[in-house]
Amino acid sequence: MSNPTLPQPEPTPGNTAWWTHDRFGLFIHWGIYALAARHEWVKKYEQISDADYQPYFDHFDPDLYDPAEWARIAREAGMRYVVLTSKHHDGFCLWDSQLTDYRATNTPAGRDLLRPFVEAFRAEGLKVGFYYSLIDWHHPEFPVDGVHPQANDLAFREATKDRDVRKYAEYLHGQVREILTMFGTIDLLWLDFSYSQQDYGWSKGKGKDDWQSEKLIEMVREINPDIIINNRSEIEQDFHTPEQFIPPSWLHIDGKPVNWESCQTLNGSWGYHRDNLDWKSPQLLVEMLIDCVSKGGNMLMNVGPTGRGEFDPRAQATLAEIGGWMRQHGRAIYGCTQAPYTPPRDCRYTYNPETNRLYLHVFAWPLKYLHLPGLRNRVRYAQLLNDGSGVKTFDFTQHHRYPSGGEDLLTLELPIQKPDVHTPVVELFLCE
Ligand code: GLC
């Protein structure tokens, strides 16, 4: 059905134009937790002390790290931007931070890992973003709270009770300044995360007052007014980040449509997880990407590289499959958004307002006919996108008594065999 009131987010402080166009990004969680190889929260989950976590720092030697290879894989998968964890909750820093010793240069890696990363991804034409953890389980002034790995260690809590979050905030501001000034213009900042509503009894969660988010954002905008920033510092900025779920329709906050990006894992873990078997199929991931774009959103798909610095073979195989689909169907994703029509059952629409083309993504291949409500006399030409083969369109009711789906149905005649692609797409050239 024609829907003239498509959601339209209000303008935000940063420049989201490239981001809403590009739609598909690569998230990378990489740090010394890759050596533990059992989730990036391992330090918390297993209540590991600094001393017991230290071996991962002492043995971090990513000798196979080749960011040019990462960037090539990402581009071939159809991704247009990348977000890498410069620091995760464990506090380990991938760059040569002057504000801490807890950094890659002091591990056997012995070098700054961010600079070659930024250069490699830029060379492949991707926009570059940094994830930065607001939480820090290593910093000596980060007050112990309910999510801290030592939360249950009463002696530790007692010994650290004088920690001053203001001193930590100073450090965090200094580090964000570093990552945004040391490597040229950074396009996106992904802060993670706030939990001020949490009350553990003996401690409270942390949020914008602890991080001094207003001041932080002000500083970031001063460095780069166009940068786009997510919402997790507890201050609304350019986009929202539903994590491992896709909203049922265009995401609304306080009744208003917003820019949104669903971040997704390949297997439930962000960091490298050797023994995890929960791998999503490429088919499912393609459908998830389509689903996001059909609701006006982006998808940020994660890979957790190994301790030696490679994407493991399972991730590589998945990305290659998605890339195969993107190569043929990219124009149903880039520059597309929610369509002003309601798709038939088991299908999604994406729509490119510039070219006025509507893309019908068929999740369950039907028998021969597919009936599209509201599209009679609105389509000039239809073709399968994978091979550019024409698809016949007609008014079904001229030939059959059924269906009784309304006067405005347009019917497509599809081949009996599903095209050999993850999700077939019919490109519909709409009338002016
Ligand atoms: C989280 C987790 C985390 C992951 C992330 C991605 O809140 O703490 O480990 O980095 O979000 O969205």
Side-chain angles (χ1 to χ4, degrees), residues 27 29 39-41 85 88-89 131 190 192-193 232 243 263 270:
F27 213 175
H29 277 67
H39 204 283
E40 78 287 353
W41 272 63
T85 52
H88 205 262
H89 306 336
Y131 167 110
W190 219 100
D192 191 37
F193 65 92
R232 293 196 183 180
E243 178 173 332
C263 49
W270 301 94

PDB file of all heavy atoms in Angstrom, residues 27 29 39-41 85 88-89 131 190 192-193 232 243 263 270, ligand 1:
ATOM      1  N   PHE A  27      32.362  -4.562  12.012  1.00  0.00           N
ATOM      2  CA  PHE A  27      32.759  -4.317  13.391  1.00  0.00           C
ATOM      3  C   PHE A  27      33.928  -5.274  13.660  1.00  0.00           C
ATOM      4  O   PHE A  27      33.886  -6.440  13.220  1.00  0.00           O
ATOM      5  CB  PHE A  27      31.582  -4.697  14.302  1.00  0.00           C
ATOM      6  CG  PHE A  27      31.422  -3.887  15.550  1.00  0.00           C
ATOM      7  CD1 PHE A  27      30.305  -4.104  16.371  1.00  0.00           C
ATOM      8  CD2 PHE A  27      32.326  -2.908  15.927  1.00  0.00           C
ATOM      9  CE1 PHE A  27      30.106  -3.367  17.532  1.00  0.00           C
ATOM     10  CE2 PHE A  27      32.136  -2.162  17.086  1.00  0.00           C
ATOM     11  CZ  PHE A  27      31.018  -2.392  17.885  1.00  0.00           C
ATOM     12  N   HIS A  29      36.235  -6.692  16.889  1.00  0.00           N
ATOM     13  CA  HIS A  29      36.613  -6.746  18.303  1.00  0.00           C
ATOM     14  C   HIS A  29      37.930  -7.492  18.391  1.00  0.00           C
ATOM     15  O   HIS A  29      37.991  -8.706  18.155  1.00  0.00           O
ATOM     16  CB  HIS A  29      35.547  -7.475  19.121  1.00  0.00           C
ATOM     17  CG  HIS A  29      34.392  -6.597  19.511  1.00  0.00           C
ATOM     18  ND1 HIS A  29      33.514  -6.074  18.601  1.00  0.00           N
ATOM     19  CD2 HIS A  29      33.981  -6.148  20.729  1.00  0.00           C
ATOM     20  CE1 HIS A  29      32.600  -5.339  19.239  1.00  0.00           C
ATOM     21  NE2 HIS A  29      32.860  -5.371  20.532  1.00  0.00           N
ATOM     22  N   HIS A  39      35.357 -15.282  24.542  1.00  0.00           N
ATOM     23  CA  HIS A  39      34.523 -14.091  24.714  1.00  0.00           C
ATOM     24  C   HIS A  39      35.331 -12.923  25.287  1.00  0.00           C
ATOM     25  O   HIS A  39      36.185 -13.104  26.161  1.00  0.00           O
ATOM     26  CB  HIS A  39      33.317 -14.367  25.627  1.00  0.00           C
ATOM     27  CG  HIS A  39      32.168 -13.421  25.397  1.00  0.00           C
ATOM     28  ND1 HIS A  39      32.159 -12.137  25.875  1.00  0.00           N
ATOM     29  CD2 HIS A  39      30.999 -13.574  24.729  1.00  0.00           C
ATOM     30  CE1 HIS A  39      31.026 -11.535  25.527  1.00  0.00           C
ATOM     31  NE2 HIS A  39      30.309 -12.386  24.818  1.00  0.00           N
ATOM     32  N   GLU A  40      35.009 -11.718  24.793  1.00  0.00           N
ATOM     33  CA  GLU A  40      35.753 -10.535  25.245  1.00  0.00           C
ATOM     34  C   GLU A  40      35.418 -10.130  26.683  1.00  0.00           C
ATOM     35  O   GLU A  40      36.118  -9.324  27.271  1.00  0.00           O
ATOM     36  CB  GLU A  40      35.544  -9.370  24.269  1.00  0.00           C
ATOM     37  CG  GLU A  40      34.221  -8.636  24.381  1.00  0.00           C
ATOM     38  CD  GLU A  40      33.031  -9.420  23.843  1.00  0.00           C
ATOM     39  OE1 GLU A  40      33.226 -10.496  23.245  1.00  0.00           O
ATOM     40  OE2 GLU A  40      31.883  -8.943  24.038  1.00  0.00           O
ATOM     41  N   TRP A  41      34.369 -10.712  27.242  1.00  0.00           N
ATOM     42  CA  TRP A  41      34.038 -10.447  28.649  1.00  0.00           C
ATOM     43  C   TRP A  41      34.646 -11.500  29.578  1.00  0.00           C
ATOM     44  O   TRP A  41      34.269 -11.597  30.732  1.00  0.00           O
ATOM     45  CB  TRP A  41      32.511 -10.429  28.839  1.00  0.00           C
ATOM     46  CG  TRP A  41      31.874  -9.095  28.603  1.00  0.00           C
ATOM     47  CD1 TRP A  41      31.846  -8.392  27.441  1.00  0.00           C
ATOM     48  CD2 TRP A  41      31.143  -8.303  29.562  1.00  0.00           C
ATOM     49  NE1 TRP A  41      31.146  -7.208  27.609  1.00  0.00           N
ATOM     50  CE2 TRP A  41      30.698  -7.128  28.895  1.00  0.00           C
ATOM     51  CE3 TRP A  41      30.812  -8.473  30.907  1.00  0.00           C
ATOM     52  CZ2 TRP A  41      29.946  -6.134  29.535  1.00  0.00           C
ATOM     53  CZ3 TRP A  41      30.054  -7.476  31.541  1.00  0.00           C
ATOM     54  CH2 TRP A  41      29.647  -6.316  30.848  1.00  0.00           C
ATOM     55  N   THR A  85      37.694  -1.877  17.771  1.00  0.00           N
ATOM     56  CA  THR A  85      37.856  -1.612  19.206  1.00  0.00           C
ATOM     57  C   THR A  85      39.265  -1.092  19.491  1.00  0.00           C
ATOM     58  O   THR A  85      40.216  -1.868  19.559  1.00  0.00           O
ATOM     59  CB  THR A  85      37.653  -2.907  20.012  1.00  0.00           C
ATOM     60  OG1 THR A  85      38.506  -3.924  19.440  1.00  0.00           O
ATOM     61  CG2 THR A  85      36.215  -3.379  19.988  1.00  0.00           C
ATOM     62  N   HIS A  88      38.900  -2.045  24.641  1.00  0.00           N
ATOM     63  CA  HIS A  88      37.656  -2.655  25.126  1.00  0.00           C
ATOM     64  C   HIS A  88      37.607  -2.562  26.648  1.00  0.00           C
ATOM     65  O   HIS A  88      38.441  -1.891  27.262  1.00  0.00           O
ATOM     66  CB  HIS A  88      37.499  -4.095  24.606  1.00  0.00           C
ATOM     67  CG  HIS A  88      36.066  -4.527  24.564  1.00  0.00           C
ATOM     68  ND1 HIS A  88      35.492  -5.286  25.556  1.00  0.00           N
ATOM     69  CD2 HIS A  88      35.073  -4.258  23.676  1.00  0.00           C
ATOM     70  CE1 HIS A  88      34.205  -5.476  25.269  1.00  0.00           C
ATOM     71  NE2 HIS A  88      33.931  -4.869  24.134  1.00  0.00           N
ATOM     72  N   HIS A  89      36.616  -3.214  27.259  1.00  0.00           N
ATOM     73  CA  HIS A  89      36.409  -3.040  28.701  1.00  0.00           C
ATOM     74  C   HIS A  89      37.629  -3.452  29.528  1.00  0.00           C
ATOM     75  O   HIS A  89      37.813  -2.977  30.646  1.00  0.00           O
ATOM     76  CB  HIS A  89      35.197  -3.851  29.189  1.00  0.00           C
ATOM     77  CG  HIS A  89      33.927  -3.581  28.439  1.00  0.00           C
ATOM     78  ND1 HIS A  89      33.680  -2.413  27.747  1.00  0.00           N
ATOM     79  CD2 HIS A  89      32.807  -4.346  28.288  1.00  0.00           C
ATOM     80  CE1 HIS A  89      32.473  -2.475  27.206  1.00  0.00           C
ATOM     81  NE2 HIS A  89      31.928  -3.639  27.508  1.00  0.00           N
ATOM     82  N   TYR A 131      35.758   2.217  17.955  1.00  0.00           N
ATOM     83  CA  TYR A 131      35.026   1.889  19.171  1.00  0.00           C
ATOM     84  C   TYR A 131      35.946   2.261  20.318  1.00  0.00           C
ATOM     85  O   TYR A 131      37.160   2.022  20.251  1.00  0.00           O
ATOM     86  CB  TYR A 131      34.748   0.390  19.163  1.00  0.00           C
ATOM     87  CG  TYR A 131      34.259  -0.232  20.458  1.00  0.00           C
ATOM     88  CD1 TYR A 131      32.944  -0.691  20.573  1.00  0.00           C
ATOM     89  CD2 TYR A 131      35.109  -0.407  21.547  1.00  0.00           C
ATOM     90  CE1 TYR A 131      32.502  -1.302  21.737  1.00  0.00           C
ATOM     91  CE2 TYR A 131      34.660  -1.007  22.714  1.00  0.00           C
ATOM     92  CZ  TYR A 131      33.358  -1.453  22.801  1.00  0.00           C
ATOM     93  OH  TYR A 131      32.926  -2.059  23.958  1.00  0.00           O
ATOM     94  N   TRP A 190      32.398   5.256  18.236  1.00  0.00           N
ATOM     95  CA  TRP A 190      31.418   4.298  18.784  1.00  0.00           C
ATOM     96  C   TRP A 190      31.762   4.080  20.260  1.00  0.00           C
ATOM     97  O   TRP A 190      32.658   3.285  20.594  1.00  0.00           O
ATOM     98  CB  TRP A 190      31.569   2.997  18.014  1.00  0.00           C
ATOM     99  CG  TRP A 190      30.348   2.227  17.652  1.00  0.00           C
ATOM    100  CD1 TRP A 190      29.718   2.209  16.453  1.00  0.00           C
ATOM    101  CD2 TRP A 190      29.636   1.276  18.482  1.00  0.00           C
ATOM    102  NE1 TRP A 190      28.663   1.328  16.483  1.00  0.00           N
ATOM    103  CE2 TRP A 190      28.598   0.753  17.710  1.00  0.00           C
ATOM    104  CE3 TRP A 190      29.777   0.850  19.804  1.00  0.00           C
ATOM    105  CZ2 TRP A 190      27.695  -0.190  18.202  1.00  0.00           C
ATOM    106  CZ3 TRP A 190      28.888  -0.087  20.298  1.00  0.00           C
ATOM    107  CH2 TRP A 190      27.854  -0.599  19.494  1.00  0.00           C
ATOM    108  N   ASP A 192      31.136   2.948  24.196  1.00  0.00           N
ATOM    109  CA  ASP A 192      30.434   1.789  24.777  1.00  0.00           C
ATOM    110  C   ASP A 192      30.817   1.624  26.241  1.00  0.00           C
ATOM    111  O   ASP A 192      31.997   1.454  26.510  1.00  0.00           O
ATOM    112  CB  ASP A 192      30.825   0.544  23.980  1.00  0.00           C
ATOM    113  CG  ASP A 192      29.971  -0.664  24.320  1.00  0.00           C
ATOM    114  OD1 ASP A 192      28.765  -0.489  24.562  1.00  0.00           O
ATOM    115  OD2 ASP A 192      30.516  -1.773  24.340  1.00  0.00           O
ATOM    116  N   PHE A 193      29.983   1.524  27.244  1.00  0.00           N
ATOM    117  CA  PHE A 193      28.576   1.836  27.198  1.00  0.00           C
ATOM    118  C   PHE A 193      28.203   2.435  28.540  1.00  0.00           C
ATOM    119  O   PHE A 193      29.062   2.525  29.436  1.00  0.00           O
ATOM    120  CB  PHE A 193      27.747   0.567  26.865  1.00  0.00           C
ATOM    121  CG  PHE A 193      27.782  -0.530  27.910  1.00  0.00           C
ATOM    122  CD1 PHE A 193      26.823  -0.602  28.924  1.00  0.00           C
ATOM    123  CD2 PHE A 193      28.787  -1.509  27.883  1.00  0.00           C
ATOM    124  CE1 PHE A 193      26.850  -1.629  29.880  1.00  0.00           C
ATOM    125  CE2 PHE A 193      28.825  -2.528  28.839  1.00  0.00           C
ATOM    126  CZ  PHE A 193      27.855  -2.583  29.835  1.00  0.00           C
ATOM    127  N   ARG A 232      25.701   5.783  23.039  1.00  0.00           N
ATOM    128  CA  ARG A 232      25.937   5.049  24.284  1.00  0.00           C
ATOM    129  C   ARG A 232      26.670   5.817  25.384  1.00  0.00           C
ATOM    130  O   ARG A 232      26.977   5.246  26.426  1.00  0.00           O
ATOM    131  CB  ARG A 232      26.660   3.729  23.981  1.00  0.00           C
ATOM    132  CG  ARG A 232      25.783   2.764  23.208  1.00  0.00           C
ATOM    133  CD  ARG A 232      26.329   1.359  23.237  1.00  0.00           C
ATOM    134  NE  ARG A 232      25.518   0.465  22.425  1.00  0.00           N
ATOM    135  CZ  ARG A 232      25.759  -0.820  22.266  1.00  0.00           C
ATOM    136  NH1 ARG A 232      26.807  -1.373  22.864  1.00  0.00           N
ATOM    137  NH2 ARG A 232      24.989  -1.569  21.511  1.00  0.00           N
ATOM    138  N   GLU A 243      21.514  -3.769  19.880  1.00  0.00           N
ATOM    139  CA  GLU A 243      22.590  -4.769  19.902  1.00  0.00           C
ATOM    140  C   GLU A 243      22.033  -6.179  19.793  1.00  0.00           C
ATOM    141  O   GLU A 243      21.283  -6.627  20.655  1.00  0.00           O
ATOM    142  CB  GLU A 243      23.389  -4.605  21.192  1.00  0.00           C
ATOM    143  CG  GLU A 243      24.490  -5.610  21.335  1.00  0.00           C
ATOM    144  CD  GLU A 243      25.383  -5.321  22.536  1.00  0.00           C
ATOM    145  OE1 GLU A 243      25.507  -4.141  22.923  1.00  0.00           O
ATOM    146  OE2 GLU A 243      25.936  -6.278  23.090  1.00  0.00           O
ATOM    147  N   CYS A 263      23.988  -3.849  15.511  1.00  0.00           N
ATOM    148  CA  CYS A 263      25.280  -4.532  15.499  1.00  0.00           C
ATOM    149  C   CYS A 263      25.033  -6.005  15.779  1.00  0.00           C
ATOM    150  O   CYS A 263      24.233  -6.370  16.638  1.00  0.00           O
ATOM    151  CB  CYS A 263      26.268  -3.899  16.481  1.00  0.00           C
ATOM    152  SG  CYS A 263      25.642  -3.611  18.135  1.00  0.00           S
ATOM    153  N   TRP A 270      31.643 -11.403  20.499  1.00  0.00           N
ATOM    154  CA  TRP A 270      32.277 -10.307  19.739  1.00  0.00           C
ATOM    155  C   TRP A 270      33.765 -10.587  19.569  1.00  0.00           C
ATOM    156  O   TRP A 270      34.320 -10.477  18.489  1.00  0.00           O
ATOM    157  CB  TRP A 270      32.058  -8.961  20.435  1.00  0.00           C
ATOM    158  CG  TRP A 270      30.609  -8.626  20.606  1.00  0.00           C
ATOM    159  CD1 TRP A 270      29.835  -8.884  21.712  1.00  0.00           C
ATOM    160  CD2 TRP A 270      29.735  -8.019  19.647  1.00  0.00           C
ATOM    161  NE1 TRP A 270      28.537  -8.464  21.484  1.00  0.00           N
ATOM    162  CE2 TRP A 270      28.459  -7.923  20.241  1.00  0.00           C
ATOM    163  CE3 TRP A 270      29.906  -7.535  18.343  1.00  0.00           C
ATOM    164  CZ2 TRP A 270      27.356  -7.366  19.573  1.00  0.00           C
ATOM    165  CZ3 TRP A 270      28.818  -6.972  17.685  1.00  0.00           C
ATOM    166  CH2 TRP A 270      27.566  -6.894  18.294  1.00  0.00           C
TER     167      TRP A 270
HETATM  168  C1  GLC B   1      28.437  -4.458  24.614  1.00  0.00           C
HETATM  169  C2  GLC B   1      29.415  -5.359  25.204  1.00  0.00           C
HETATM  170  C3  GLC B   1      30.451  -5.706  24.310  1.00  0.00           C
HETATM  171  C4  GLC B   1      30.396  -5.398  22.885  1.00  0.00           C
HETATM  172  C5  GLC B   1      29.357  -4.441  22.480  1.00  0.00           C
HETATM  173  C6  GLC B   1      28.944  -4.376  21.077  1.00  0.00           C
HETATM  174  O1  GLC B   1      27.691  -3.724  25.362  1.00  0.00           O
HETATM  175  O2  GLC B   1      29.818  -4.972  26.460  1.00  0.00           O
HETATM  176  O3  GLC B   1      31.388  -6.589  24.721  1.00  0.00           O
HETATM  177  O4  GLC B   1      31.552  -4.714  22.599  1.00  0.00           O
HETATM  178  O5  GLC B   1      28.459  -4.081  23.334  1.00  0.00           O
HETATM  179  O6  GLC B   1      27.725  -3.758  20.894  1.00  0.00           O
END
